[in-house]
Amino acid sequence: QEIINQMKLENKALRADIAKLHEEKPQTVEQQLERTMSEVQSLQRKLDTMKAANEKRTGRLEGLGNKLDELSIGAKQCASEASPEMRQIRVLENRLDKAMI
């Protein structure tokens, strides 16, 4: 009796699966191609967006690198005591000190 009940349940499950398969319509080649082309176009747009963002960031990075180079050169010039600007500043400071006395 248990075996018969189990077989009935399996039969119902198999009939339900067969009914689902009959309801599903297989996609035509055109539908599959259209869906795939849509996915490709979507991914292409995403790639283009990422490339544009990457180029923008690369340009900004180069600009910041150039600015850093300029600032480091300027810092080296100001740091050196032998630079003409520093010599001129010391001369003016000495004159100011003498004038104050």
Side-chain angles (χ1 to χ4, degrees):
Q1 186 68 20
E2 289 179 24
I3 294 173
I4 294 172
N5 289 333
Q6 184 180 1
M7 297 287 273
K8 284 182 182 180
L9 290 174
E10 286 179 23
N11 191 13
K12 283 184 183 179
L14 290 173
R15 284 181 187 254
D17 289 342
I18 290 172
K20 284 182 186 177
L21 290 174
H22 282 297
E23 289 174 6
E24 292 178 359
K25 292 182 180 178
Q27 289 185 340
T28 64
V29 174
E30 290 85 14
Q31 289 173 336
Q32 289 176 349
L33 180 62
E34 186 177 325
R35 184 175 45 84
T36 305
M37 290 301 293
S38 175
E39 289 176 16
V40 168
Q41 289 172 350
S42 173
L43 291 172
Q44 184 67 42
R45 282 192 297 274
K46 189 175 180 180
L47 176 66
D48 292 342
T49 302
M50 289 182 158
K51 279 184 179 180
N54 191 24
E55 288 175 5
K56 184 178 177 183
R57 289 178 180 153
T58 301
R60 185 165 186 261
L61 179 63
E62 288 176 2
L64 289 173
N66 292 339
K67 194 170 184 179
L68 176 64
D69 291 341
E70 291 175 10
L71 289 173
S72 64
I73 289 171
K76 286 179 185 176
Q77 288 177 350
C78 288
S80 67
E81 293 292 322
S83 71
E85 292 86 6
M86 290 302 292
R87 219 175 298 131
Q88 182 68 24
I89 289 172
R90 280 195 304 275
V91 168
L92 292 172
E93 285 175 344
N94 287 340
R95 284 186 189 169
L96 182 62
D97 288 342
K98 287 179 184 177
M100 298 284 279
I101 296 176

